[in-house]
Amino acid sequence: MSNRAPVVRRSYATRPKSTLESSLQEPPKDSGGIMASSTATKRKLVLKMKEQPGNFILAQGGARFAQSLVASGLIDEYRMVIHPVALRRGQQLFSGLRSPVDLRLISATPFSSGVVAAVYQPA
């Protein structure tokens, strides 16, 4: 573990959290009690969070959650970690979109393992 791990963990622990989950009946204890389950409610909550001062909103979740954010046009910046592995199947991040989303490469950082960390913004 790096020397930064305790700082990152502390920073994460002190940030406000919201839960955008369809299957939970009540929000997790660390979510600040804010919860949204329907797509429309999720969109309203994310738009409200984007109006708040702060650095950024980190959205963690599976491919369907990411797809819903992409389709709603709610993503200002994509931070992707690309692993050089060809799979025969799996969830596609950009499947099911009604129209193409043009992205502009902001930065790319290659690692000796072949992994690339890339930052994109909507064009």
Side-chain angles (χ1 to χ4, degrees):
M1 195 178 306
S2 75
N3 292 337
R4 289 190 45 193
V7 173
V8 171
R9 192 173 24 243
R10 199 173 324 116
S11 174
Y12 179 80
T14 60
R15 292 197 179 271
K17 297 169 193 67
S18 299
T19 301
L20 308 177
E21 173 62 54
S22 301
S23 61
L24 294 177
Q25 298 301 314
E26 59 185 62
K29 291 178 183 171
D30 68 346
S31 74
I34 301 170
M35 186 169 145
S37 58
S38 72
T39 301
T41 306
K42 289 176 187 177
R43 180 172 171 72
K44 287 178 187 174
L45 179 60
V46 171
L47 287 171
K48 184 178 178 183
M49 288 189 302
K50 287 176 76 168
E51 292 174 357
Q52 304 299 315
N55 294 337
F56 59 89
I57 299 170
L58 173 64
Q60 293 179 302
R64 281 186 287 170
F65 174 62
Q67 289 166 353
S68 71
L69 294 176
V70 173
S72 296
L74 293 172
I75 299 178
D76 299 322
E77 185 172 86
Y78 297 82
R79 292 178 179 238
M80 299 182 201
V81 179
I82 304 159
H83 295 264
V85 177
L87 302 175
R88 294 186 326 175
R89 60 179 176 213
Q91 289 282 343
Q92 295 180 359
L93 178 59
F94 297 105
S95 67
L97 294 177
R98 293 185 188 136
S99 61
V101 176
D102 293 326
L103 300 176
R104 178 172 46 99
L105 180 65
I106 303 301
S107 67
T109 306
F111 296 93
S112 61
S113 63
V115 171
V116 176
V119 178
Y120 293 92
Q121 291 179 346

